[in-house]
Amino acid sequence: MGNQREQLIRAERVRELAENISTKQFVQKYSYGITILESMITGYGRKCDQRLGRSIVDTVVYRLKTAESIADKLEKKGYEISLTNAVEQLSDLAGIRVICSFCDDVYRMDEFLQQRNDIAICRRKDYIRNPKESGYRSIHLIVEMDYPLGAAGEKVRLEVQIRTVAMNYWAKLDHQLCYKTGGRRSGQSIEQIRRELRTYAEEISGIDEKMLNLRKRIEEI
Ligand code: 0O2
């Protein structure tokens, strides 16, 4: 009974949150951040294409986090589901993922963003040099910029993930596993899949390195 009541309260909070994050003001603010960052990233990509004679960016994708996903993350971190907590406690309400061809391109993009003086890097995590226990690899930047359409001094914060095509392919399958298991950590078949995924993350990283070496050799011909 208590459980059912809790579920109803949760559903009501998620509904309220969904309403709040679909207001014009909210969507405009985070879409602004995405548009500015995306144009910086694609602009730099184009410059590199000309300089290097090849594409460093394969794809750029972005998303605004859904109410359900915000709610799950707030609960995981021990916060009540509310708009205030979402804005204050989460840095990835808006996210951009930059998928690069090779690992050195990932670091090129990372360095480019770090050197910009119109954005601030609040946090940087290099899960390529220090992969997560799951095998996950990517560079994560939490980026903040001015929001000129808001109140004086208002900022907008976003998460940027930079990874190779191969890391992305791995992460998508891993994400699917997390989604399917709904955070369940145990179970024989889940454990077996996790183990295999960890092994393949290593193999993929090895292939990324080999492909980069090949590219460099081809460039020297
Ligand atoms: P969705 O659906 O992508 O929005 P923190 O733990 O906060 O100190 P971190 O790792 O930067 O540092 O943050 P967090 O919140 O753990 O992960 C942020 C996002 O990175 C996740 O968003 C995923 O997109 C991705 N990510 C992190 N770890 C993994 C992983 O082990 N596997 C995969 N596939 N993705 C990962 P969300 O909110 O989980 O999901």
Side-chain angles (χ1 to χ4, degrees):
M1 187 67 186
N3 201 13
Q4 200 183 9
R5 191 169 167 271
E6 277 168 26
Q7 279 176 13
L8 283 173
I9 293 173
R10 185 188 191 277
E12 179 52 24
R13 288 190 179 142
V14 175
R15 194 198 55 75
E16 229 172 72
L17 180 65
E19 232 172 65
N20 286 325
I21 63 171
S22 48
T23 59
K24 193 176 162 208
Q25 229 180 356
F26 186 92
V27 174
Q28 197 172 43
K29 177 172 174 174
Y30 288 94
S31 303
Y32 171 87
I34 286 176
T35 307
I36 298 291
L37 258 184
E38 195 202 7
S39 74
M40 273 180 206
I41 289 164
T42 51
Y44 177 65
R46 272 195 300 272
K47 265 194 199 156
C48 289
D49 295 354
Q50 284 171 354
R51 189 159 48 85
L52 303 170
R54 63 178 184 84
S55 243
I56 76 154
V57 176
D58 183 85
T59 331
V60 180
V61 290
Y62 47 83
R63 60 108 183 90
L64 293 181
K65 213 169 176 64
T66 62
E68 195 54 56
S69 173
I70 294 173
D72 286 347
K73 201 157 188 173
L74 283 175
E75 283 177 328
K76 210 169 95 188
K77 288 178 171 247
Y79 295 106
E80 206 172 82
I81 302 166
S82 72
L83 180 70
T84 309
N85 282 343
V87 171
E88 287 176 3
Q89 308 300 337
L90 305 185
S91 302
D92 66 339
L93 296 181
I96 290 205
R97 186 171 294 151
V98 190
I99 299 146
C100 294
S101 308
F102 295 94
C103 209
D104 59 346
D105 297 331
V106 169
Y107 284 100
R108 262 194 191 98
M109 185 56 73
D110 168 44
E111 213 179 298
F112 161 74
L113 291 173
Q114 286 193 64
Q115 282 171 359
R116 298 267 330 186
N117 48 24
D118 47 358
I119 55 174
I121 308 291
C122 309
R123 202 175 71 197
R124 176 182 180 275
K125 289 196 178 170
D126 185 342
Y127 293 125
I128 297 179
R129 295 211 166 108
N130 303 296
K132 284 203 171 187
E133 205 204 319
S134 60
Y136 177 77
R137 285 165 168 82
S138 218
I139 287 187
H140 287 188
L141 302 175
I142 303 301
V143 162
E144 212 171 57
M145 68 178 82
D146 291 336
Y147 180 53
L149 307 175
E154 195 170 329
K155 308 266 183 201
V156 54
R157 206 186 315 155
L158 301 94
E159 183 187 66
V160 185
Q161 299 179 349
I162 321 172
R163 54 173 81 141
T164 63
V165 175
M167 290 168 196
N168 189 49
Y169 151 78
W170 182 94
K172 275 160 84 173
L173 199 59
D174 181 62
H175 193 271
Q176 198 179 331
L177 174 70
C178 295
Y179 176 76
K180 284 252 174 171
T181 55
R184 258 186 303 130
R185 297 218 147 254
S186 51
Q188 227 175 357
S189 65
I190 297 175
E191 254 325 298
Q192 176 60 26
I193 294 174
R194 280 194 204 290
R195 260 199 302 276
E196 283 187 42
L197 266 173
R198 267 195 295 273
T199 311
Y200 301 154
E202 289 293 322
E203 290 180 16
I204 282 173
S205 163
I207 294 284
D208 256 344
E209 209 178 308
K210 285 179 188 161
M211 291 296 277
L212 174 60
N213 287 335
L214 267 191
R215 193 204 77 209
K216 288 181 175 168
R217 281 167 56 198
I218 293 170
E219 282 166 355
E220 279 165 15
I221 295 173

